[in-house]
Amino acid sequence: SAVISQKPSRDICQRGTSLTIQCQVDSQVTMMFWYRQQPGQSLTLIATANQGSEATYESGFVIDKFPISRPNLTFSTLTVSNMSPEDSSIYLCSVAALAGLSTDTQYFGPGTRLTVL
Amino acid sequence: QQQVKQSPQSLIVQKGGISIINCAYENTAFDYFPWYQQFPGKGPALLIAIRPDVSEKKEGRFTISFNKSAKQFSLHIMDSQPGDSATYFCAASIRSSNTGKLIFGQGTTLQVKP
């Protein structure tokens, strides 16, 4: 398995500002994913971030709003830009394909709870 | 066609009872079906998963039943305990795509009463 940490765990931000969320994994992973989970809702994939390539965004999510960095095999950041109250959600990173294993199993971080005023 | 439909939205079960959560899908290309358990304030954790070459998989008190022809799968929690109270998500993916992308169901909030 993998131990995943996210920073910050929660934040309250003002409209129009940006927040960068960090995701750190204790082992090298090929695939990292960023999800959004609105209160009481399911998980929606924002983008896939594989090291050495540009992030791949899902329909409805764009790089200008959610820029992602993946500088190495253990770390990624997601920025939520020009925030509005509609961006209030839990943001989760997950990882798959540990140490050459299959992509089947995904491990999730604890999430970052974002509130935008 | 990429959706996974999950029911019920919420479920209340007495301690010792059986909890049953159902999921249905349309895309026959899906070939991996995991269930995740999420406690408040935590990220989802993989509970159990099945591939369509088997009809049932059991791990302890948790069993997945899979009906390929009906395109349905379900999670059964035997001898449900108050500690099982959580939100459960089914999911599906296409392993051969090698993208790792999971499509999640809407979630079921389970409450097990003592």
Side-chain angles (χ1 to χ4, degrees):
Chain A
S1 65
V3 177
I4 305 166
S5 60
Q6 287 186 232
K7 290 181 180 180
S9 59
R10 58 176 63 225
D11 208 341
I12 301 173
C13 300
Q14 295 297 318
R15 179 196 298 261
T17 62
S18 298
L19 176 72
T20 296
I21 302 168
Q22 299 178 4
C23 179
Q24 179 75 52
V25 191
D26 68 343
S27 55
Q28 295 185 336
V29 297
T30 303
M31 292 182 173
M32 295 183 80
F33 306 89
W34 287 98
Y35 288 85
R36 182 172 72 184
Q37 184 176 28
Q38 293 176 313
Q41 302 296 314
S42 186
L43 290 83
T44 301
L45 181 63
I46 297 171
T48 301
N50 293 337
Q51 198 269 339
S53 62
E54 296 291 322
T56 303
Y57 289 83
E58 297 300 304
S59 176
F61 298 96
V62 295
I63 187 171
D64 289 346
K65 176 67 175 177
F66 297 100
I68 288 171
S69 76
R70 181 78 199 274
N72 57 52
L73 290 173
T74 63
F75 186 79
S76 178
T77 66
L78 170 76
T79 299
V80 185
S81 303
N82 188 25
M83 289 184 286
S84 67
E86 292 71 34
D87 295 318
S88 297
S89 275
I90 299 171
Y91 291 86
L92 296 144
C93 72
S94 73
V95 303
L98 275 67
L101 298 177
S102 76
T103 60
D104 286 352
T105 302
Q106 284 193 28
Y107 301 94
F108 284 82
T112 295
R113 183 179 294 272
L114 171 62
T115 302
V116 184
L117 302 177
Chain B
Q1 197 182 22
Q2 284 290 91
Q3 282 187 324
V4 177
K5 296 183 180 180
Q6 184 172 345
S7 63
Q9 184 175 359
S10 62
L11 182 61
I12 300 174
V13 173
Q14 292 293 326
K15 178 182 177 181
I18 302 173
S19 303
I20 301 174
I21 305 170
N22 301 298
C23 285
Y25 63 97
E26 288 295 324
N27 189 347
T28 55
F30 286 143
D31 57 3
Y32 177 68
F33 303 92
W35 284 89
Y36 283 83
Q37 179 188 55
Q38 185 178 30
F39 293 104
K42 305 292 185 183
L46 179 65
L47 192 60
I48 187 173
I50 197 168
R51 297 185 181 130
D53 52 343
V54 297
S55 60
E56 185 175 281
K57 183 175 181 180
K58 184 176 181 179
E59 290 184 1
R61 296 185 293 109
F62 300 92
T63 300
I64 299 179
S65 297
F66 185 81
N67 187 329
K68 188 174 182 178
S69 61
K71 292 183 284 186
Q72 296 176 348
F73 59 108
S74 60
L75 175 70
H76 295 235
I77 306 174
M78 312 300 287
D79 186 26
S80 299
Q81 299 296 312
D84 297 330
S85 297
T87 300
Y88 293 82
F89 293 95
C90 63
S93 71
I94 303 172
R95 296 176 68 230
S96 58
S97 72
N98 209 35
T99 62
K101 287 173 56 173
L102 288 172
I103 307 298
F104 282 88
Q106 294 83 352
T108 297
T109 301
L110 170 65
Q111 181 183 358
V112 181
K113 290 193 169 183

